[in-house]
Short mmCIF file of all heavy atoms in Angstrom, two decimals:
data_model
loop_
_atom_site.label_atom_id
_atom_site.label_comp_id
_atom_site.label_asym_id
_atom_site.label_seq_id
_atom_site.Cartn_x
_atom_site.Cartn_y
_atom_site.Cartn_z
N ALA A 27 -0.21 -8.18 30.22
CA ALA A 27 -0.32 -6.81 29.72
C ALA A 27 -0.77 -6.81 28.27
O ALA A 27 -0.62 -7.80 27.56
CB ALA A 27 1.02 -6.09 29.83
N ILE A 28 -1.33 -5.69 27.87
CA ILE A 28 -1.63 -5.43 26.46
C ILE A 28 -0.54 -4.50 25.94
O ILE A 28 -0.24 -3.48 26.55
CB ILE A 28 -3.02 -4.77 26.30
CG1 ILE A 28 -4.13 -5.72 26.73
CG2 ILE A 28 -3.22 -4.27 24.86
CD1 ILE A 28 -4.27 -6.97 25.88
N PHE A 29 0.05 -4.88 24.81
CA PHE A 29 1.02 -4.05 24.11
C PHE A 29 0.37 -3.55 22.82
O PHE A 29 -0.19 -4.35 22.07
CB PHE A 29 2.26 -4.84 23.68
CG PHE A 29 3.22 -5.23 24.77
CD1 PHE A 29 2.96 -5.01 26.11
CD2 PHE A 29 4.41 -5.85 24.41
CE1 PHE A 29 3.87 -5.40 27.08
CE2 PHE A 29 5.33 -6.23 25.37
CZ PHE A 29 5.07 -6.00 26.71
N VAL A 30 0.45 -2.27 22.57
CA VAL A 30 0.04 -1.70 21.28
C VAL A 30 1.21 -0.88 20.77
O VAL A 30 1.67 0.04 21.45
CB VAL A 30 -1.23 -0.82 21.41
CG1 VAL A 30 -1.55 -0.16 20.07
CG2 VAL A 30 -2.41 -1.65 21.89
N THR A 31 1.70 -1.22 19.60
CA THR A 31 2.83 -0.53 19.01
C THR A 31 2.34 0.30 17.83
O THR A 31 1.67 -0.22 16.94
CB THR A 31 3.91 -1.53 18.55
OG1 THR A 31 4.23 -2.39 19.65
CG2 THR A 31 5.16 -0.82 18.07
N VAL A 32 2.66 1.58 17.85
CA VAL A 32 2.23 2.51 16.80
C VAL A 32 3.40 3.35 16.32
O VAL A 32 4.40 3.53 17.03
CB VAL A 32 1.08 3.44 17.28
CG1 VAL A 32 -0.14 2.63 17.69
CG2 VAL A 32 1.53 4.35 18.41
N THR A 33 3.26 3.89 15.13
CA THR A 33 4.23 4.86 14.63
C THR A 33 4.03 6.17 15.38
O THR A 33 3.05 6.35 16.10
CB THR A 33 4.04 5.11 13.12
OG1 THR A 33 2.73 5.67 12.93
CG2 THR A 33 4.19 3.84 12.31
N ARG A 34 4.93 7.11 15.15
CA ARG A 34 4.81 8.41 15.81
C ARG A 34 3.52 9.14 15.44
O ARG A 34 3.02 9.95 16.20
CB ARG A 34 6.01 9.29 15.46
CG ARG A 34 7.27 8.86 16.15
CD ARG A 34 8.41 9.76 15.77
NE ARG A 34 9.59 9.41 16.55
CZ ARG A 34 10.81 9.69 16.18
NH1 ARG A 34 11.03 10.36 15.06
NH2 ARG A 34 11.82 9.35 16.94
N ASP A 35 2.98 8.83 14.26
CA ASP A 35 1.73 9.49 13.85
C ASP A 35 0.49 8.65 14.16
O ASP A 35 -0.61 8.96 13.72
CB ASP A 35 1.76 9.88 12.38
CG ASP A 35 1.91 8.69 11.44
OD1 ASP A 35 2.01 7.54 11.94
OD2 ASP A 35 1.92 8.90 10.23
N GLY A 36 0.67 7.57 14.96
CA GLY A 36 -0.47 6.80 15.44
C GLY A 36 -0.91 5.64 14.58
O GLY A 36 -1.94 5.02 14.87
N ALA A 37 -0.18 5.29 13.54
CA ALA A 37 -0.55 4.13 12.71
C ALA A 37 -0.21 2.83 13.46
O ALA A 37 0.89 2.68 14.00
CB ALA A 37 0.20 4.17 11.38
N LEU A 38 -1.16 1.92 13.50
CA LEU A 38 -0.99 0.67 14.22
C LEU A 38 0.01 -0.24 13.51
O LEU A 38 -0.12 -0.51 12.31
CB LEU A 38 -2.34 -0.05 14.34
CG LEU A 38 -2.33 -1.39 15.06
CD1 LEU A 38 -1.96 -1.22 16.52
CD2 LEU A 38 -3.69 -2.06 14.91
N LEU A 39 1.00 -0.72 14.28
CA LEU A 39 1.98 -1.66 13.75
C LEU A 39 1.81 -3.06 14.33
O LEU A 39 2.07 -4.05 13.66
CB LEU A 39 3.40 -1.17 14.05
CG LEU A 39 3.81 0.17 13.45
CD1 LEU A 39 5.18 0.58 13.98
CD2 LEU A 39 3.82 0.09 11.94
N ASP A 40 1.39 -3.13 15.60
CA ASP A 40 1.32 -4.43 16.26
C ASP A 40 0.45 -4.28 17.52
O ASP A 40 0.43 -3.22 18.14
CB ASP A 40 2.74 -4.87 16.67
CG ASP A 40 2.77 -6.28 17.23
OD1 ASP A 40 2.73 -7.23 16.43
OD2 ASP A 40 2.83 -6.43 18.47
N ARG A 41 -0.25 -5.35 17.86
CA ARG A 41 -0.98 -5.40 19.13
C ARG A 41 -0.96 -6.84 19.60
O ARG A 41 -1.03 -7.77 18.81
CB ARG A 41 -2.41 -4.90 18.97
CG ARG A 41 -3.21 -5.75 18.02
CD ARG A 41 -4.62 -5.26 17.85
NE ARG A 41 -5.18 -5.86 16.65
CZ ARG A 41 -6.45 -6.00 16.43
NH1 ARG A 41 -7.32 -5.56 17.30
NH2 ARG A 41 -6.89 -6.56 15.33
N ARG A 42 -0.86 -6.99 20.91
CA ARG A 42 -0.81 -8.35 21.47
C ARG A 42 -1.03 -8.33 22.97
O ARG A 42 -0.78 -7.33 23.62
CB ARG A 42 0.52 -9.02 21.15
CG ARG A 42 1.72 -8.31 21.75
CD ARG A 42 3.06 -8.88 21.32
NE ARG A 42 3.28 -8.66 19.91
CZ ARG A 42 4.01 -9.46 19.15
NH1 ARG A 42 4.60 -10.51 19.67
NH2 ARG A 42 4.16 -9.22 17.87
N ARG A 43 -1.49 -9.45 23.47
CA ARG A 43 -1.54 -9.68 24.91
C ARG A 43 -0.31 -10.51 25.25
O ARG A 43 0.00 -11.48 24.55
CB ARG A 43 -2.82 -10.43 25.29
CG ARG A 43 -2.87 -10.76 26.78
CD ARG A 43 -4.03 -11.67 27.11
NE ARG A 43 -3.79 -12.33 28.37
CZ ARG A 43 -4.61 -12.28 29.41
NH1 ARG A 43 -5.74 -11.62 29.33
NH2 ARG A 43 -4.31 -12.91 30.53
N VAL A 44 0.37 -10.15 26.33
CA VAL A 44 1.57 -10.89 26.74
C VAL A 44 1.42 -11.34 28.19
O VAL A 44 0.84 -10.65 29.01
CB VAL A 44 2.86 -10.05 26.56
CG1 VAL A 44 3.06 -9.66 25.11
CG2 VAL A 44 2.85 -8.83 27.45
N GLU A 45 1.95 -12.51 28.46
CA GLU A 45 2.00 -13.02 29.83
C GLU A 45 3.31 -12.56 30.45
O GLU A 45 4.35 -12.57 29.80
CB GLU A 45 1.92 -14.55 29.83
CG GLU A 45 0.63 -15.09 29.23
CD GLU A 45 -0.62 -14.63 29.96
OE1 GLU A 45 -0.59 -14.52 31.20
OE2 GLU A 45 -1.63 -14.36 29.27
N LEU A 46 3.25 -12.18 31.72
CA LEU A 46 4.43 -11.63 32.38
C LEU A 46 4.90 -12.47 33.58
O LEU A 46 5.77 -12.02 34.33
CB LEU A 46 4.16 -10.19 32.84
CG LEU A 46 3.94 -9.19 31.69
CD1 LEU A 46 3.51 -7.84 32.24
CD2 LEU A 46 5.21 -9.06 30.85
N VAL A 47 4.35 -13.67 33.72
CA VAL A 47 4.78 -14.53 34.82
C VAL A 47 4.48 -15.98 34.44
O VAL A 47 3.55 -16.26 33.68
CB VAL A 47 4.07 -14.14 36.14
CG1 VAL A 47 2.58 -14.39 36.07
CG2 VAL A 47 4.70 -14.80 37.35
N ASP A 48 5.29 -16.89 34.96
CA ASP A 48 5.07 -18.32 34.71
C ASP A 48 3.71 -18.75 35.25
O ASP A 48 3.26 -18.26 36.29
CB ASP A 48 6.16 -19.16 35.41
CG ASP A 48 7.53 -18.96 34.78
OD1 ASP A 48 7.60 -18.68 33.57
OD2 ASP A 48 8.53 -19.09 35.51
N ASP A 49 3.09 -19.69 34.56
CA ASP A 49 1.75 -20.16 34.94
C ASP A 49 1.68 -20.71 36.36
O ASP A 49 0.67 -20.55 37.04
CB ASP A 49 1.28 -21.27 33.98
CG ASP A 49 0.93 -20.73 32.60
OD1 ASP A 49 0.69 -19.51 32.47
OD2 ASP A 49 0.91 -21.54 31.66
N GLU A 50 2.74 -21.35 36.81
CA GLU A 50 2.69 -21.99 38.13
C GLU A 50 2.94 -21.03 39.29
O GLU A 50 2.84 -21.40 40.46
CB GLU A 50 3.66 -23.18 38.21
CG GLU A 50 5.13 -22.79 38.20
CD GLU A 50 5.73 -22.63 36.81
OE1 GLU A 50 4.98 -22.71 35.81
OE2 GLU A 50 6.94 -22.43 36.72
N LEU A 51 3.25 -19.78 38.97
CA LEU A 51 3.49 -18.77 40.01
C LEU A 51 2.27 -17.86 40.17
O LEU A 51 1.55 -17.62 39.20
CB LEU A 51 4.72 -17.93 39.67
CG LEU A 51 6.06 -18.65 39.75
CD1 LEU A 51 7.17 -17.77 39.19
CD2 LEU A 51 6.37 -19.05 41.19
N PRO A 52 2.07 -17.32 41.37
CA PRO A 52 0.96 -16.38 41.55
C PRO A 52 1.25 -15.06 40.86
O PRO A 52 2.40 -14.62 40.80
CB PRO A 52 0.90 -16.21 43.07
CG PRO A 52 2.28 -16.51 43.55
CD PRO A 52 2.81 -17.55 42.61
N ALA A 53 0.22 -14.44 40.33
CA ALA A 53 0.39 -13.18 39.59
C ALA A 53 0.49 -11.97 40.51
O ALA A 53 1.14 -10.98 40.17
CB ALA A 53 -0.77 -12.99 38.62
N ILE A 54 -0.15 -12.02 41.67
CA ILE A 54 -0.14 -10.86 42.58
C ILE A 54 0.28 -11.31 43.99
O ILE A 54 -0.50 -11.26 44.94
CB ILE A 54 -1.49 -10.12 42.57
CG1 ILE A 54 -2.64 -11.07 42.82
CG2 ILE A 54 -1.69 -9.36 41.28
CD1 ILE A 54 -3.98 -10.36 43.01
N PRO A 55 1.55 -11.72 44.13
CA PRO A 55 1.99 -12.31 45.41
C PRO A 55 2.02 -11.34 46.58
O PRO A 55 1.70 -11.74 47.71
CB PRO A 55 3.38 -12.83 45.08
CG PRO A 55 3.87 -11.95 43.97
CD PRO A 55 2.63 -11.69 43.15
N HIS A 56 2.43 -10.08 46.38
CA HIS A 56 2.44 -9.14 47.51
C HIS A 56 1.05 -9.02 48.12
O HIS A 56 0.90 -8.99 49.33
CB HIS A 56 2.84 -7.72 47.05
CG HIS A 56 4.26 -7.53 46.68
ND1 HIS A 56 4.71 -7.69 45.39
CD2 HIS A 56 5.33 -7.16 47.41
CE1 HIS A 56 6.00 -7.42 45.33
NE2 HIS A 56 6.41 -7.09 46.55
N HIS A 57 0.07 -8.94 47.25
CA HIS A 57 -1.29 -8.66 47.67
C HIS A 57 -2.00 -9.88 48.28
O HIS A 57 -2.81 -9.74 49.18
CB HIS A 57 -2.11 -8.15 46.48
CG HIS A 57 -3.52 -7.81 46.82
ND1 HIS A 57 -3.86 -6.74 47.61
CD2 HIS A 57 -4.68 -8.41 46.50
CE1 HIS A 57 -5.16 -6.68 47.75
NE2 HIS A 57 -5.70 -7.69 47.09
N HIS A 58 -1.66 -11.06 47.79
CA HIS A 58 -2.44 -12.22 48.25
C HIS A 58 -1.58 -13.29 48.90
O HIS A 58 -1.56 -13.41 50.12
CB HIS A 58 -3.25 -12.80 47.08
CG HIS A 58 -4.20 -13.85 47.52
ND1 HIS A 58 -3.92 -15.19 47.46
CD2 HIS A 58 -5.44 -13.76 48.09
CE1 HIS A 58 -4.93 -15.88 47.94
NE2 HIS A 58 -5.86 -15.04 48.33
#
């Protein structure tokens, strides 16, 4: 996922790409 963190008035505080599953596991198991 992409996370973008902003203040209430829209000023950028942080942005990052995050991994949400271990590398050795499939990312979309229901589907595939």
Side-chain angles (χ1 to χ4, degrees):
I28 295 295
F29 287 6
V30 175
T31 307
V32 299
T33 62
R34 287 180 175 158
D35 62 358
L38 179 65
L39 299 173
D40 187 78
R41 62 180 163 158
R42 62 187 67 209
R43 177 188 160 124
V44 299
E45 298 301 322
L46 294 173
V47 66
D48 292 331
D49 288 340
E50 69 273 7
L51 290 172
I54 52 172
H56 289 91
H57 181 69
H58 189 263

